[in-house]
Amino acid sequence: MKAHARQRPETVGAGEKKELYRVSDAMEILSLGRSVIYELLRSGRLRSVREGRTRLIPASAIRDYVTLLEREADADGLGAAS
């Protein structure tokens, strides 16, 4: 019998979006390694919350981080041409 398959981090079920992600989920979503994620958390570039001993990253923090990267790329002249 096949073990329980891991759900993709972007969805909870029937199209519902998750609001909080574990570090391992954020790693997959952002295509970054564990040490990079923790450095982003330490530097404040990526926000997180704690629930007990678990570090969770809000979906809004992931969106904000991607927006920050896009702004930085535009400021450096590295963004996509209009």
Side-chain angles (χ1 to χ4, degrees):
M1 212 174 210
K2 190 174 180 181
H4 175 65
R6 187 158 187 246
Q7 233 179 132
R8 289 190 48 85
E10 296 84 24
T11 60
V12 175
E16 292 180 48
K17 296 283 185 182
K18 286 175 64 171
E19 289 298 317
L20 295 170
Y21 295 95
R22 293 182 179 274
V23 168
S24 58
D25 295 332
M27 290 168 53
E28 185 176 331
I29 292 166
L30 294 170
S31 299
L32 298 172
R34 179 175 298 279
S35 61
V36 175
I37 294 289
Y38 279 106
E39 179 56 35
L40 291 171
L41 293 170
R42 275 191 291 278
S43 70
R45 289 174 58 88
L46 182 62
R47 294 179 287 108
S48 67
V49 297
R50 289 189 69 92
E51 175 59 35
R53 295 178 58 175
T54 304
R55 169 93 35 211
L56 298 168
I57 302 170
S60 62
I62 293 172
R63 287 189 301 273
D64 291 347
Y65 176 67
V66 171
T67 300
L68 173 67
L69 292 176
E70 290 171 340
R71 282 191 200 132
E72 290 175 351
D74 288 343
D76 291 340
L78 301 175
S82 302

XYZ file of all heavy atoms in Angstrom:
636
model
N 0.822 -1.170 0.000
C 0.000 0.000 0.000
C 0.882 1.255 0.000
O 1.899 1.298 0.674
C -0.870 -0.003 1.251
C -2.189 0.638 1.026
S -3.198 0.426 2.510
C -4.734 0.404 1.704
N 0.478 2.264 -0.752
C 1.270 3.478 -0.882
C 1.081 4.375 0.336
O -0.028 4.555 0.814
C 0.843 4.223 -2.150
C 1.744 5.358 -2.499
C 1.344 5.948 -3.827
C 2.272 7.093 -4.167
N 1.934 7.710 -5.408
N 2.181 4.946 0.821
C 2.119 5.869 1.965
C 1.408 7.145 1.553
O 1.299 7.462 0.371
C 3.535 6.186 2.444
N 0.936 7.882 2.544
C 0.238 9.143 2.304
C 1.121 10.081 1.485
O 2.236 10.400 1.876
C -0.123 9.801 3.647
C -0.735 11.147 3.518
N -1.960 11.337 2.922
C -0.293 12.374 3.888
C -2.247 12.612 2.945
N -1.246 13.267 3.530
N 0.634 10.504 0.325
C 1.394 11.409 -0.541
C 1.399 12.806 0.045
O 0.382 13.271 0.560
C 0.774 11.418 -1.938
N 2.531 13.470 -0.037
C 2.652 14.833 0.492
C 1.917 15.802 -0.418
O 2.088 15.785 -1.627
C 4.125 15.215 0.582
C 4.316 16.522 1.263
C 5.723 16.615 1.805
N 5.810 17.814 2.591
C 6.549 18.851 2.279
N 7.308 18.811 1.216
N 6.567 19.908 3.040
N 1.113 16.658 0.189
C 0.360 17.653 -0.551
C 1.265 18.777 -1.018
O 2.209 19.142 -0.333
C -0.700 18.264 0.385
C -2.057 18.211 -0.177
C -3.049 18.794 0.786
O -3.817 19.579 0.359
N -3.072 18.437 2.032
N 0.992 19.332 -2.187
C 1.748 20.495 -2.654
C 1.503 21.635 -1.678
O 0.402 21.826 -1.217
C 1.301 20.915 -4.054
C 1.748 19.926 -5.111
C 1.541 20.435 -6.517
N 2.033 21.781 -6.727
C 3.284 22.092 -7.036
N 4.181 21.150 -7.137
N 3.641 23.340 -7.230
N 2.511 22.425 -1.335
C 2.359 23.466 -0.323
C 1.439 24.602 -0.728
O 0.949 25.315 0.124
C 3.780 23.976 -0.118
C 4.539 23.548 -1.309
C 3.872 22.313 -1.815
N 1.163 24.788 -2.014
C 0.351 25.911 -2.443
C -1.132 25.731 -2.124
O -1.885 26.693 -2.130
C 0.490 26.154 -3.955
C 1.876 26.559 -4.394
C 2.801 25.379 -4.602
O 2.311 24.266 -4.847
O 4.011 25.566 -4.485
N -1.571 24.502 -1.900
C -2.995 24.286 -1.674
C -3.233 23.443 -0.436
O -2.400 22.657 -0.030
C -3.642 23.569 -2.880
O -3.005 22.315 -3.051
C -3.524 24.391 -4.145
N -4.401 23.665 0.157
C -4.806 22.892 1.324
C -5.702 21.756 0.878
O -5.566 20.632 1.269
C -5.550 23.793 2.331
C -6.089 22.977 3.483
C -4.642 24.889 2.828
N -6.647 22.013 0.083
C -7.596 21.050 -0.433
C -8.384 21.764 -1.502
O -8.080 22.888 -1.813
N -9.315 21.211 -2.113
C -10.237 21.796 -3.081
C -9.962 23.259 -3.442
O -10.835 24.104 -3.364
C -11.655 21.634 -2.563
N -8.732 23.583 -3.777
C -8.410 24.914 -4.264
C -8.173 25.963 -3.190
O -7.900 27.103 -3.494
N -8.268 25.598 -1.904
C -8.028 26.568 -0.831
C -6.543 26.865 -0.744
O -5.714 25.990 -0.855
C -8.481 25.996 0.517
C -9.959 25.828 0.657
C -10.305 25.254 2.018
O -9.789 25.775 3.015
O -11.060 24.285 2.049
N -6.218 28.144 -0.524
C -4.819 28.546 -0.354
C -4.454 28.486 1.121
O -5.239 28.834 1.981
C -4.606 29.975 -0.859
C -4.840 30.147 -2.336
C -3.669 29.628 -3.108
C -3.875 29.923 -4.577
N -2.821 29.426 -5.380
N -3.233 28.071 1.405
C -2.739 28.080 2.781
C -2.347 29.501 3.140
O -1.944 30.281 2.285
C -1.507 27.177 2.902
C -1.836 25.707 2.880
C -0.601 24.841 2.890
C 0.214 24.973 4.135
N 1.298 23.978 4.225
N -2.419 29.840 4.398
C -2.017 31.157 4.879
C -0.659 31.112 5.564
O 0.013 32.128 5.646
C -3.071 31.727 5.840
C -4.346 32.139 5.143
C -4.144 33.256 4.123
O -3.403 34.214 4.419
O -4.712 33.145 3.028
N -0.266 29.956 6.071
C 1.006 29.803 6.771
C 1.762 28.608 6.202
O 1.172 27.552 5.957
C 0.787 29.592 8.272
C 0.160 30.752 9.024
C -0.216 30.318 10.433
C 1.111 31.938 9.070
N 3.071 28.799 6.006
C 3.909 27.756 5.436
C 5.061 27.421 6.371
O 5.637 28.306 6.996
C 4.496 28.214 4.094
C 3.455 28.418 3.033
C 2.907 29.672 2.801
C 3.011 27.353 2.260
C 1.950 29.855 1.813
C 2.055 27.525 1.279
C 1.529 28.786 1.066
O 0.579 28.949 0.095
N 5.431 26.163 6.426
C 6.633 25.755 7.142
C 7.841 26.189 6.323
O 7.727 26.468 5.131
C 6.647 24.236 7.328
C 5.548 23.749 8.252
C 5.653 22.236 8.426
N 4.622 21.771 9.323
C 4.746 21.740 10.651
N 5.865 22.127 11.211
N 3.762 21.314 11.406
N 8.996 26.244 6.960
C 10.220 26.639 6.267
C 10.454 25.742 5.051
O 10.814 26.224 3.972
C 11.431 26.626 7.230
C 12.737 26.756 6.473
C 11.289 27.734 8.264
N 10.221 24.458 5.185
C 10.444 23.537 4.056
C 9.520 23.871 2.883
O 9.924 23.753 1.721
C 10.257 22.087 4.498
O 8.957 21.895 5.018
N 8.300 24.311 3.169
C 7.380 24.715 2.100
C 7.879 25.989 1.427
O 7.861 26.106 0.198
C 5.972 24.957 2.651
C 5.325 23.700 3.196
O 5.664 22.599 2.720
O 4.484 23.828 4.110
N 8.327 26.962 2.225
C 8.843 28.227 1.685
C 10.077 27.959 0.821
O 10.270 28.614 -0.210
C 9.166 29.192 2.811
N 10.907 27.007 1.229
C 12.078 26.639 0.438
C 11.656 26.202 -0.966
O 12.248 26.617 -1.960
C 12.845 25.494 1.107
C 13.560 25.872 2.377
S 14.157 24.435 3.317
C 15.083 23.547 2.081
N 10.625 25.385 -1.025
C 10.134 24.878 -2.307
C 9.493 25.995 -3.121
O 9.763 26.139 -4.315
C 9.129 23.754 -2.063
C 8.668 23.082 -3.331
C 7.752 21.904 -3.062
O 7.887 21.268 -2.016
O 6.903 21.645 -3.922
N 8.659 26.798 -2.484
C 7.953 27.872 -3.189
C 8.933 28.881 -3.776
O 8.784 29.320 -4.921
C 6.953 28.573 -2.242
C 5.815 27.617 -1.887
C 6.406 29.856 -2.861
C 4.971 28.085 -0.710
N 9.945 29.265 -2.992
C 10.890 30.296 -3.413
C 12.127 29.733 -4.122
O 12.963 30.494 -4.593
C 11.338 31.116 -2.197
C 10.246 31.957 -1.543
C 10.728 32.530 -0.219
C 9.784 33.065 -2.494
N 12.238 28.418 -4.187
C 13.400 27.750 -4.796
C 14.705 28.197 -4.146
O 15.685 28.518 -4.819
C 13.443 28.014 -6.308
O 12.292 27.519 -6.931
N 14.696 28.233 -2.815
C 15.867 28.632 -2.042
C 16.205 27.549 -1.028
O 15.336 26.785 -0.622
C 15.600 29.950 -1.302
C 15.314 31.165 -2.169
C 14.886 32.344 -1.305
C 16.535 31.518 -3.002
N 17.455 27.513 -0.614
C 17.892 26.541 0.379
C 17.527 26.958 1.793
O 17.201 28.119 2.058
N 17.614 25.999 2.697
C 17.267 26.230 4.102
C 18.086 27.361 4.723
O 17.547 28.245 5.380
C 17.463 24.940 4.906
C 17.145 25.070 6.380
C 17.250 23.740 7.094
N 16.305 22.767 6.590
C 15.015 22.694 6.937
N 14.530 23.536 7.796
N 14.233 21.772 6.430
N 19.398 27.357 4.498
C 20.231 28.393 5.111
C 19.897 29.778 4.567
O 19.946 30.764 5.306
C 21.718 28.080 4.933
O 22.053 28.033 3.564
N 19.541 29.866 3.298
C 19.150 31.158 2.712
C 17.852 31.640 3.344
O 17.728 32.822 3.694
C 19.018 31.057 1.175
C 18.485 32.353 0.584
C 20.348 30.682 0.552
N 16.889 30.751 3.510
C 15.614 31.128 4.144
C 15.872 31.653 5.547
O 15.360 32.719 5.926
C 14.634 29.934 4.183
C 14.206 29.527 2.774
C 13.420 30.261 5.052
C 13.287 30.476 2.051
N 16.677 30.947 6.325
C 16.938 31.401 7.694
C 17.708 32.720 7.723
O 17.483 33.548 8.606
C 17.640 30.310 8.509
C 16.652 29.290 9.032
C 16.567 28.019 8.483
C 15.774 29.617 10.059
C 15.644 27.096 8.954
C 14.847 28.709 10.534
C 14.782 27.448 9.976
O 13.857 26.546 10.447
N 18.591 32.947 6.769
C 19.292 34.234 6.700
C 18.309 35.354 6.363
O 18.377 36.452 6.921
C 20.429 34.187 5.679
C 21.170 35.499 5.542
C 21.730 36.032 6.861
O 22.149 35.232 7.719
O 21.739 37.267 7.043
N 17.375 35.086 5.455
C 16.350 36.083 5.129
C 15.486 36.393 6.352
O 15.116 37.553 6.582
C 15.473 35.590 3.973
C 16.160 35.504 2.616
C 15.264 34.793 1.614
C 16.549 36.887 2.121
N 15.178 35.382 7.138
C 14.402 35.581 8.361
C 15.197 36.410 9.364
O 14.668 37.355 9.959
C 14.006 34.237 8.972
C 13.022 33.401 8.155
C 12.898 32.002 8.739
C 11.672 34.080 8.069
N 16.485 36.073 9.543
C 17.337 36.810 10.481
C 17.480 38.273 10.079
O 17.477 39.165 10.916
C 18.727 36.177 10.575
C 18.811 35.040 11.557
C 20.254 34.634 11.791
N 20.861 34.006 10.617
C 20.708 32.733 10.278
N 19.971 31.936 11.019
N 21.289 32.243 9.209
N 17.599 38.530 8.783
C 17.818 39.898 8.300
C 16.529 40.714 8.243
O 16.586 41.918 8.066
C 18.460 39.861 6.913
O 17.527 39.387 5.948
N 15.387 40.045 8.353
C 14.112 40.758 8.302
C 13.555 40.926 6.897
O 12.503 41.537 6.711
N 14.246 40.390 5.900
C 13.738 40.495 4.523
C 12.549 39.568 4.293
O 11.759 39.791 3.381
C 14.849 40.188 3.523
C 15.891 41.305 3.477
C 17.070 40.959 2.594
N 16.759 40.661 1.219
C 16.676 41.556 0.233
N 16.869 42.823 0.482
N 16.426 41.174 -1.002
N 12.427 38.537 5.099
C 11.298 37.610 5.044
C 10.737 37.502 6.457
O 11.475 37.203 7.396
C 11.766 36.233 4.538
C 10.707 35.155 4.373
C 9.654 35.557 3.333
C 11.360 33.840 3.967
N 9.455 37.783 6.598
C 8.817 37.769 7.917
C 8.333 36.362 8.269
O 8.047 35.564 7.384
C 7.605 38.708 7.941
C 7.940 40.163 7.776
C 6.702 41.052 7.772
N 5.964 40.887 6.509
C 4.800 40.252 6.393
N 4.203 39.726 7.433
N 4.202 40.146 5.221
N 8.230 36.124 9.566
C 7.688 34.843 10.031
C 6.973 35.048 11.356
O 7.089 36.106 11.983
C 8.810 33.809 10.196
O 9.662 34.179 11.254
N 6.239 34.029 11.746
C 5.545 34.007 13.040
C 5.882 32.685 13.714
O 6.388 31.762 13.072
C 4.013 34.152 12.877
C 3.658 35.495 12.253
C 3.431 33.018 12.035
N 5.618 32.619 14.991
C 5.832 31.368 15.721
C 4.505 30.895 16.297
O 3.725 31.684 16.805
C 6.836 31.566 16.841
C 8.243 31.766 16.307
C 9.275 31.747 17.399
N 9.425 30.429 17.979
C 10.295 29.511 17.577
N 11.087 29.784 16.575
N 10.378 28.359 18.166
N 4.294 29.611 16.215
C 3.166 28.956 16.870
C 3.794 27.852 17.688
O 4.255 26.845 17.134
C 2.172 28.407 15.853
C 1.042 27.616 16.460
C 0.215 28.407 17.460
O 0.022 29.629 17.275
O -0.234 27.795 18.442
N 3.898 28.099 18.988
C 4.630 27.162 19.836
C 6.090 27.181 19.435
O 6.705 28.235 19.367
N 6.622 26.015 19.102
C 8.031 25.928 18.691
C 8.192 25.941 17.173
O 9.300 25.837 16.666
C 8.628 24.646 19.253
C 8.668 24.659 20.776
C 9.220 23.388 21.329
N 10.571 23.157 20.793
C 11.348 22.180 21.161
N 10.934 21.314 22.060
N 12.550 22.033 20.646
N 7.088 26.089 16.466
C 7.126 26.021 15.009
C 7.244 27.409 14.387
O 6.475 28.304 14.710
C 5.842 25.338 14.473
O 5.710 24.056 15.088
C 5.893 25.177 12.970
N 8.209 27.572 13.505
C 8.385 28.817 12.752
C 7.550 28.689 11.480
O 7.688 27.719 10.739
C 9.856 29.009 12.398
C 10.145 30.078 11.444
C 10.468 31.425 11.987
N 11.211 31.456 13.204
C 11.067 32.435 14.105
N 10.219 33.417 13.889
N 11.768 32.436 15.208
N 6.648 29.646 11.262
C 5.775 29.628 10.093
C 5.931 30.932 9.322
O 6.110 32.002 9.912
C 4.318 29.439 10.514
C 4.010 28.134 11.242
C 2.635 28.177 11.878
C 4.133 26.957 10.277
N 5.825 30.839 8.021
C 5.966 32.005 7.157
C 4.611 32.286 6.517
O 4.085 31.442 5.789
C 7.048 31.757 6.095
C 8.370 31.440 6.804
C 7.171 32.950 5.157
C 9.465 30.955 5.902
N 4.037 33.464 6.799
C 2.743 33.810 6.204
C 2.833 33.915 4.685
O 3.868 34.345 4.144
C 2.410 35.177 6.814
C 3.260 35.287 8.034
C 4.505 34.495 7.729
N 1.757 33.553 4.001
C 1.707 33.683 2.547
C 1.958 35.131 2.144
O 2.646 35.395 1.155
C 0.351 33.199 2.030
N 1.451 36.078 2.926
C 1.651 37.497 2.618
C 3.132 37.865 2.690
O 3.606 38.700 1.918
C 0.844 38.376 3.569
O 1.265 38.188 4.908
N 3.901 37.243 3.590
C 5.333 37.524 3.702
C 6.077 37.015 2.468
O 7.020 37.663 2.001
C 5.901 36.886 4.965
N 5.651 35.888 1.934
C 6.265 35.357 0.718
C 5.973 36.298 -0.447
O 6.873 36.649 -1.215
C 5.784 33.922 0.437
C 6.309 32.985 1.532
C 6.219 33.456 -0.956
C 5.757 31.582 1.491
N 4.718 36.744 -0.566
C 4.371 37.696 -1.635
C 5.158 38.998 -1.484
O 5.677 39.536 -2.465
C 2.865 37.987 -1.621
C 2.016 36.831 -2.133
C 0.575 37.224 -2.316
N -0.054 37.694 -1.084
C -0.648 36.920 -0.185
N -0.712 35.624 -0.384
N -1.192 37.437 0.895
N 5.269 39.507 -0.239
C 6.011 40.747 0.006
C 7.480 40.592 -0.375
O 8.085 41.506 -0.935
C 5.900 41.166 1.475
C 4.511 41.624 1.864
O 3.665 41.868 0.963
O 4.263 41.728 3.078
N 8.070 39.443 -0.082
C 9.474 39.200 -0.411
C 9.670 39.186 -1.927
O 10.617 39.783 -2.444
C 9.964 37.896 0.219
C 11.374 37.565 -0.180
C 12.436 38.360 0.245
C 11.648 36.490 -1.005
C 13.738 38.082 -0.141
C 12.945 36.201 -1.394
C 13.982 37.001 -0.958
O 15.262 36.725 -1.356
N 8.775 38.536 -2.645
C 8.877 38.498 -4.110
C 8.725 39.920 -4.672
O 9.483 40.321 -5.562
C 7.830 37.535 -4.718
C 7.786 37.657 -6.236
C 8.133 36.101 -4.305
N 7.807 40.695 -4.129
C 7.628 42.084 -4.555
C 8.899 42.890 -4.298
O 9.323 43.689 -5.139
C 6.423 42.724 -3.829
O 5.247 41.971 -4.153
C 6.229 44.172 -4.228
N 9.516 42.687 -3.134
C 10.769 43.358 -2.802
C 11.854 43.019 -3.830
O 12.570 43.902 -4.311
C 11.227 42.956 -1.396
C 12.609 43.440 -0.961
C 12.623 44.956 -0.821
C 12.996 42.777 0.347
N 11.970 41.746 -4.193
C 12.959 41.338 -5.192
C 12.694 41.998 -6.541
O 13.626 42.438 -7.228
C 12.957 39.817 -5.354
C 13.468 39.007 -4.169
C 13.318 37.515 -4.452
C 14.911 39.358 -3.849
N 11.411 42.098 -6.918
C 11.060 42.741 -8.184
C 11.417 44.221 -8.164
O 11.960 44.750 -9.142
C 9.572 42.556 -8.477
C 9.216 41.124 -8.817
C 7.721 40.875 -8.890
O 6.938 41.676 -8.330
O 7.339 39.881 -9.523
N 11.133 44.897 -7.048
C 11.482 46.324 -6.929
C 12.990 46.523 -7.016
O 13.464 47.449 -7.672
C 10.975 46.884 -5.604
C 9.516 47.174 -5.596
C 9.151 47.972 -4.351
N 7.735 47.834 -4.122
C 7.177 47.533 -2.968
N 7.925 47.354 -1.899
N 5.885 47.434 -2.852
N 13.738 45.669 -6.326
C 15.194 45.771 -6.362
C 15.732 45.540 -7.771
O 16.649 46.228 -8.220
C 15.829 44.793 -5.380
C 15.607 45.177 -3.938
C 16.120 44.158 -2.944
O 16.506 43.040 -3.343
O 16.134 44.493 -1.754
N 15.145 44.584 -8.497
C 15.569 44.318 -9.861
C 15.265 45.514 -10.759
O 16.087 45.900 -11.586
C 14.879 43.066 -10.399
N 14.104 46.126 -10.573
C 13.743 47.312 -11.359
C 14.684 48.470 -11.052
O 15.114 49.186 -11.947
C 12.294 47.733 -11.091
C 11.289 46.764 -11.705
O 11.681 45.967 -12.587
O 10.127 46.803 -11.281
N 15.021 48.662 -9.776
C 15.913 49.749 -9.369
C 17.315 49.547 -9.940
O 18.013 50.514 -10.245
C 15.974 49.840 -7.850
N 17.728 48.298 -10.091
C 19.051 47.983 -10.635
C 19.056 47.962 -12.160
O 20.093 47.719 -12.760
C 19.530 46.617 -10.132
C 19.851 46.625 -8.653
O 20.080 47.720 -8.103
O 19.898 45.530 -8.058
N 17.881 48.164 -12.749
C 17.785 48.103 -14.206
C 17.808 46.698 -14.744
O 18.058 46.468 -15.918
N 17.542 45.723 -13.881
C 17.589 44.317 -14.286
C 16.216 43.719 -14.520
O 16.087 42.557 -14.852
C 18.323 43.489 -13.236
C 19.761 43.901 -12.935
C 20.322 43.073 -11.793
C 20.626 43.772 -14.163
N 15.162 44.523 -14.321
C 13.796 44.026 -14.499
C 13.494 43.790 -15.962
O 14.259 44.152 -16.863
N 12.351 43.172 -16.210
C 11.934 42.884 -17.587
C 11.664 44.186 -18.336
O 11.186 45.158 -17.764
C 10.675 42.019 -17.578
N 11.977 44.199 -19.614
C 11.731 45.386 -20.439
C 10.243 45.587 -20.625
O 9.492 44.628 -20.764
C 12.416 45.213 -21.788
N 9.819 46.839 -20.604
C 8.384 47.142 -20.783
C 7.999 47.149 -22.219
O 8.650 47.569 -23.075
C 8.054 48.520 -20.187
O 8.394 48.550 -18.827
